[in-house]
Amino acid sequence: MNILVLHGPNLNLLGKRQPEIYGHQTLNDINAALDQFVASLSINVVLKIKQSNHEGELVSIIGHHMEWADGILINPAAYTHTSIAIRDALTTVDVPIVEIHLSNIYAREEFRHHSFISGVAAGVVSGFGAYSYILGLQAMIHILGPNTTENLEQ
Ligand code: DQA
């Protein structure tokens, strides 16, 4: 299965950016942990990982992977709270979306409590630091994989 992993604006600065909120791990550390997790699996999972600080570029990346991706793991960062364009792009691709946040957005400022993305996501993982990405990837594999509850019921 092919999974597109998208990191939104300012996540390239992880490690230096408000470590008391976002932790000390860099984006490279997070990406390496995702690759390592995938390598430990006995099923074939292909990750393509991208980061952009630009809303339009994120929209283009999503559209570009329309045929390729079986699922999209996305931390839209600040665009979570503002971007109808990213929501529309995700809806257009029509594959499962898992929304990721390092911090617990519901325990922070009120403007972070609303997400334009959650309404089109299969689920949201928020508040577990870098581990949110691993949990989100596990959830995505569960959704796409052969051992989903749906398949067990058949
Ligand atoms: C974030 C939460 C957003 O509110 C914020 O704008 C980010 C990161 C997170 O991962 O906790 O840039 O998405």
Side-chain angles (χ1 to χ4, degrees):
M1 63 185 77
N2 294 337
I3 300 172
L4 179 64
V5 180
L6 275 180
H7 305 286
N10 298 309
L11 295 175
N12 55 315
L13 301 177
L14 285 178
K16 290 187 201 129
R17 179 191 178 199
Q18 294 178 283
E20 67 286 2
I21 295 176
Y22 298 115
H24 291 277
Q25 281 178 289
T26 65
L27 196 60
N28 279 344
D29 293 337
I30 291 174
N31 292 340
L34 288 170
D35 283 334
Q36 201 183 328
F37 177 76
V38 160
S40 75
L41 300 173
S42 55
I43 52 170
N44 183 35
V45 176
V46 179
L47 296 185
K48 205 183 261 192
I49 305 178
K50 305 261 179 201
Q51 189 274 332
S52 175
N53 291 326
H54 305 281
E55 183 177 22
E57 195 178 342
L58 289 163
V59 167
S60 295
I61 293 169
I62 293 165
H64 186 73
H65 290 85
M66 201 160 166
E67 304 299 329
W68 182 84
D70 297 310
I72 301 176
L73 208 64
I74 182 168
N75 183 346
Y79 289 136
T80 307
H81 319 296
T82 62
S83 182
I84 297 171
I86 292 176
R87 178 196 171 106
D88 283 352
L90 293 170
T91 309
T92 305
V93 174
D94 197 26
V95 294
I97 310 299
V98 175
E99 179 183 342
I100 306 292
H101 299 286
L102 295 144
S103 62
N104 177 358
I105 57 173
Y106 302 102
R108 299 185 61 196
E109 303 96 324
E110 203 163 332
F111 67 85
R112 296 187 202 274
H113 296 183
H114 178 260
S115 165
F116 279 102
I117 309 305
S118 300
V120 299
V124 182
V125 185
S126 182
F128 301 99
Y131 193 52
S132 288
Y133 282 90
I134 301 292
L135 291 171
L137 182 55
Q138 280 180 315
M140 179 62 80
I141 292 167
H142 174 74
I143 293 168
L144 296 176
N147 295 319
T148 62
T149 315
E150 214 174 65
N151 288 337
L152 288 174
E153 280 165 6
Q154 280 171 7

